[in-house]
Amino acid sequence: MESYIAVTFTADEENASMLGAMLMDMGFAGIEEKDQGAHTAAVLESLYDRAQADELFKRFGVKYTINTIQPQNWNAAWEASFQPVQVDDFACIRAKFHPVTEGVLHDIIVTPKMSFGTGHHATTYMMIAEMRTIDFSGKKVIDFGTGTGVLAILAERLGATEILAIDNDEWSIENAEENILVNCCKHIKVELAQQMVGNFQADVVLANINLNVIVANLQIIKEGMQSGGLVLFSGVLVQDQPAITIALKNAGFQIQKISDKNGWLLISTSIY
């Protein structure tokens, strides 16, 4: 398995959020927040562009260090620092080596590897919290950019009966399949794809990705949905609200609600 480049930098919350989004656009995944504003992001060695990284961090006036690491070493370090994430009394996202958290409705086990979606990031946290307000009973769901598969798993726990989990990263597909098995899910199909899958006629789409991917897939998302369907979008920075709002309205999405956390947006929309 290919080695990873781990990039570590220190920045305040606002700059860290913007840097994180831009690094993910460059192919990075598994951005981890450490103590005192330090953050580590990782990317496959073959995808790492040193000149592009230098330019990005120079633009923000942030210094960074890099290390080349083997995947198994990265996973061991990730596991050592991984802590459970609890979204009120609704859901707890934990690793299998953590004890069960009492008093939550949904206990979800996620193997903390390189895939995005452990609940630590504000975008995943907001998606989980918003899912509490949705009736998933008997619904068809697409989790677009599934990462660890946590949102797909939660959708099944909430009553969805047909779930398609999509990601363009083979590592994420492997990780999602493992987590789906561990959580004893029966209604989730995982698919490796570079874009949204059309003609599924979903009732609910969960799209926690980034602005560019969202905008590029708006039409196919719309085509793949039932009339009256609901779409949750996240992975978009607060500063990009005007751009995403215009793109959604032009594509025929009706915005129902916009919320934010730590500089990131969650946008609830519908199709009619």
Side-chain angles (χ1 to χ4, degrees), residues 48-55 64 66:
Y48 180 60
D49 186 327
R50 178 62 183 267
Q52 189 177 18
D54 282 342
E55 177 61 29
Y64 73 101
I66 64 172

Side-chain angles (χ1 to χ4, degrees), residues 116-129 150-151 208 234:
F116 182 77
T118 60
H120 289 83
H121 198 274
T123 59
T124 311
Y125 187 99
M126 286 191 293
M127 293 287 279
I128 291 170
V150 65
L151 300 183
N208 183 19
S234 196

Side-chain angles (χ1 to χ4, degrees), residues 7-12 15-16 19 23 37 39 53-65:
V7 173
T8 300
F9 62 93
T10 300
D12 59 32
N15 283 331
L19 278 165
L23 286 170
H39 296 74
D54 282 342
E55 177 61 29
L56 175 62
F57 285 103
K58 182 180 179 181
R59 192 189 323 164
F60 281 83
V62 172
K63 295 182 178 180
Y64 73 101
T65 59

